[in-house]
Amino acid sequence: LTDYVDNITNTPNDYAIQVVGLPSAGVNEKEIAEFFAAQGLDRGMEVVKVVVGYSVAEFEEDWEELVTARSKLASAREPQVTGGRKETQQEVEERLQHDQVYRSADQVRQDKSSKLTKAARHDGAVDLEGTGFAIVTFHKQQDMRDVVERWNRYGVLFWRFCGLSTGLPTFRNNGVELRVKKAPNPTDVNWDAAHLSRRQVWAGRLISGFVTSLFTAFCGLGIFSLRYTQRERERR
């Protein structure tokens, strides 16, 4: 049913692949696009867009400082009431010109805004570390299908399972094979967990399942104990 619906409808992920295993440093969209465009050796493939997952953990503190600075600035701009009289806007501006806390918060706002803006634009001023994850969008659905099929043939999966080389081209010829599959729809991508390996994901699932099972067993034991106690009282 899923395949049937996919064949008769068009969604964004019908043109895109999900790539895992890219290097974490110095990766750019153009290089990835050229790599996958070259996979259609007989006819060529047109890559429309590449979205690289970058790690933003190092900017979390900057963002928190920016939010704090903005909050301080907003509070300082509020007109003060003295003796039942509320400040005019001109008086507020004059007061802020001599307010060191305000000026300091405004400087922090400017610095952090500039740094985060450059990081978001990825203009080279800030060196971003990649997560090894990317979404590659092709011009044609057939190109997407061909790439996914090439990276997931039974022979490829078998050699990969055995820990041996699959013979597929490696990015930058670094010997590290990429994992390629059809991309999820954009709203379904969990960018925060994109850098996790399959082993880490399964470890998280096992831990989550174990905790859930333990909690369920504890609740079941509690219910059983209550029922048992109630029956014993009824017998007496």
Side-chain angles (χ1 to χ4, degrees), residues 156-167:
V156 171
L157 297 177
F158 175 76
W159 292 119
R160 183 181 297 158
F161 177 80
C162 296
L164 302 175
S165 174
T166 61

Side-chain angles (χ1 to χ4, degrees), residues 22 54 127 167 181 211:
L22 293 164
Y54 293 103
D127 186 19
K181 66 179 181 179
V211 172

Side-chain angles (χ1 to χ4, degrees), residues 37-217:
Q39 301 311 311
L41 301 178
D42 56 339
R43 53 184 169 82
M45 294 182 178
E46 181 181 353
V47 176
V48 177
K49 180 69 175 177
V50 176
V51 179
V52 178
Y54 293 103
S55 175
V56 296
E58 60 181 297
F59 300 105
E60 290 180 357
E61 185 176 346
D62 295 309
W63 174 253
E64 292 176 358
E65 291 182 14
L66 176 60
V67 171
T68 301
R70 286 176 174 175
S71 178
K72 290 181 179 179
L73 293 174
S75 299
R77 292 192 188 102
E78 289 292 330
Q80 297 180 356
V81 179
T82 305
R85 179 180 175 277
K86 187 177 182 180
E87 282 183 320
T88 64
Q89 188 61 37
Q90 182 178 355
E91 290 174 334
V92 171
E93 295 297 334
E94 291 177 355
R95 172 172 54 83
L96 294 180
Q97 290 180 3
H98 306 285
D99 190 334
Q100 294 297 330
V101 175
Y102 177 85
R103 295 173 64 180
S104 176
D106 190 48
Q107 186 62 47
V108 171
R109 178 193 64 79
Q110 294 180 30
D111 293 343
K112 299 305 179 182
S113 294
S114 176
K115 181 178 180 180
L116 294 172
T117 300
K118 291 178 180 178
R121 292 176 179 172
H122 195 210
D123 59 3
V126 179
D127 186 19
L128 296 177
E129 182 180 355
T131 61
F133 178 93
I135 298 293
V136 180
T137 304
F138 293 93
H139 180 66
K140 298 179 180 179
Q141 290 190 33
Q142 190 59 47
D143 292 342
M144 181 276 295
R145 295 193 183 103
D146 289 347
V147 172
V148 170
E149 180 183 2
R150 184 179 184 186
W151 256 265
N152 294 277
R153 293 172 181 167
Y154 290 117
V156 171
L157 297 177
F158 175 76
W159 292 119
R160 183 181 297 158
F161 177 80
C162 296
L164 302 175
S165 174
T166 61
L168 291 171
T170 59
F171 192 73
R172 294 178 179 171
N173 296 318
N174 60 1
V176 179
E177 294 188 355
L178 303 176
R179 300 295 180 91
V180 175
K181 66 179 181 179
K182 184 177 180 179
N185 280 308
T187 55
D188 297 331
V189 178
N190 183 4
W191 292 100
D192 291 334
H195 64 287
L196 299 178
S197 65
R198 183 172 298 183
R199 180 176 299 179
Q200 290 173 315
V201 171
W202 276 106
R205 290 177 179 176
L206 289 175
I207 294 174
S208 177
F210 174 76
V211 172
T212 302
S213 301
L214 189 64
F215 179 75
T216 303

